[in-house]
Amino acid sequence: MSRTPHPSLLGVIMGLAGALVAVVIGLLTFGAQATVHPDEVPLAVAVPAGVPPLQAAAERIAGQGGDLVSWRVTTPEAARDLLEDKEIYGFLDLAPGNPPTVGIVVSGAVNPQGTQVAQQVLTEVSRALGQGGAEVRMVHPASAAGRVAPLAGSALLWIAGMIGTLFFGLVTTRRGIRAGVTSRAVLAVSVTLAGTAVVAGFFALWDDTLPLSAGVLGFLLLTGLAFAAVQGALFRLLRLRAMAIVAPLYLIAPAVAGTVPELLHPAYRALLWSWSPFRFSTEALRGLLLGTPSAPDVRTGVLVLSVMAVVGLAVVLVPPRRSTAGEEAQPDPADRVVPVGVDQADGLPGAERELTGEHGNGRVRR
């Protein structure tokens, strides 16, 4: 029989548990923000072909920056393509003149932190070239809502799935209801539809210029289904213990997925950012909302989220296993209370003793 610990010992245990939770939250949130530092930020210097003086100037620029910047020397056309594909966060556009003209080109479709760092670095370089007032041109300009919406939409879809699945598990557990395949499928679909409607409504409220096209809505539905399926699978396998995984995953959304990898500490980049589901949904949604639907991260996001949805649904909707006696297990009722009755006399207390005590023609053995 288990014994309740002494109140003093219980106080020590709970104090240590609280400290452990604080360590986890600190690592997943504030730690990532506190260690932000540029490292190999991808930028480019664009010069026209066949202009040796500008080519030489571009090579000199590319030789500076150390480990903070990763420069590419290319043509203006190639630089624009790289920016569209988010291979770079901005570029310095050198044009012939006396002195040469310098322009700074960034994109609203790139992660806002990456754009901010790129603009700061490129502005400093232009000042070093004697072009302190270099013109800044932004392709795919983004409003404040456009910069926030991709990460916010991903986080809200995760919250909708997490809360819906958690309450579903609490109610069914408390009331002794066995959740069947049908009810679990209905939960995943309802959470996906309702969450997508909420996110689309917020987008329209925040900025009515944000496109709510079929592509955007379809991707929101895919994201919501992938998140709900993964959460449903975790809750089915671990029951309410799944909250120990689902809740911390949400914490990394603003701290890690909202930051470009070149600003994260290498440990956070490898252990958290590299596999975070939020970064796939956020960057793909950013491309769809801000005019770069053909960017590689959109295709990657669709692929990753599709795999998540398929694997999650496979676990959520898998039929019940057969019993150890070889008989097929009873199908899980979708929305009914698990029967706990007994089978007539055979299940009544003492019935087994009476049956075993009978002998032959009904006489009871002495």
Side-chain angles (χ1 to χ4, degrees), residues 164-174 187 235 240:
T165 308
L166 173 63
F167 285 175
F168 181 83
L170 287 174
V171 172
T172 54
T173 300
R174 180 178 294 272
L187 172 65
F235 274 92
L240 297 182

Side-chain angles (χ1 to χ4, degrees), residues 1 27 52 62 72 90 100 102 179 193 213 233 260 359:
M1 180 180 296
L27 286 173
R72 298 190 189 188
V102 180
L193 293 176
S213 61
V260 291
H359 180 265

Side-chain angles (χ1 to χ4, degrees), residues 263-332:
L263 297 183
L264 290 172
H265 187 279
Y268 286 102
R269 190 186 311 173
L271 299 179
L272 294 180
W273 181 89
S274 61
W275 58 267
S276 168
F278 296 103
R279 67 112 167 173
F280 297 105
S281 59
T282 297
E283 292 308 317
L285 184 57
R286 193 188 311 280
L288 292 170
L289 286 173
L290 298 175
T292 59
S294 60
D297 55 10
V298 176
R299 295 190 295 272
T300 302
V302 170
L303 176 62
V304 171
L305 292 170
S306 298
V307 172
M308 289 174 59
V310 170
V311 173
L313 288 175
V315 175
V316 169
L317 304 180
V318 66
R321 293 178 298 178
R322 293 180 179 273
S323 64
T324 55
E327 298 179 354
E328 186 175 355
Q330 293 293 329
D332 289 340

Side-chain angles (χ1 to χ4, degrees), residues 31-38 113 259 263-265:
Q33 298 170 354
T35 56
V36 166
H37 181 71
Q113 283 197 348
T259 306
L263 297 183
L264 290 172
H265 187 279

Side-chain angles (χ1 to χ4, degrees), residues 37 45 67 98 115 120-121 148 150 162 164 199 208 238 248 266 272 314 322 330 340 350 354:
H37 181 71
V45 183
D67 295 334
N98 191 17
T115 299
Q120 291 175 348
V121 173
V148 172
M162 178 176 67
V199 172
D208 57 8
L238 303 176
L272 294 180
R322 293 180 179 273
Q330 293 293 329
V340 294
E354 294 175 0

Side-chain angles (χ1 to χ4, degrees), residues 14 32 40 49 115 122 140-141 155 185 200 211 231 236 268 320 363 366:
M14 293 300 102
E40 299 288 338
T115 299
L122 295 174
H140 308 297
Q231 291 166 344
R236 187 178 187 193
Y268 286 102
R363 292 175 298 168
R366 302 295 180 184

Side-chain angles (χ1 to χ4, degrees), residues 40-47 54-74 92 94 121-122 125 129:
E40 299 288 338
V41 176
L43 301 174
V45 183
V47 295
L54 291 182
Q55 189 74 27
E59 295 293 345
R60 287 196 300 271
I61 293 172
Q64 302 174 3
D67 295 334
L68 300 181
V69 182
S70 176
W71 290 101
R72 298 190 189 188
V73 177
T74 185
L92 204 64
L94 302 182
V121 173
L122 295 174
V125 173
L129 296 174

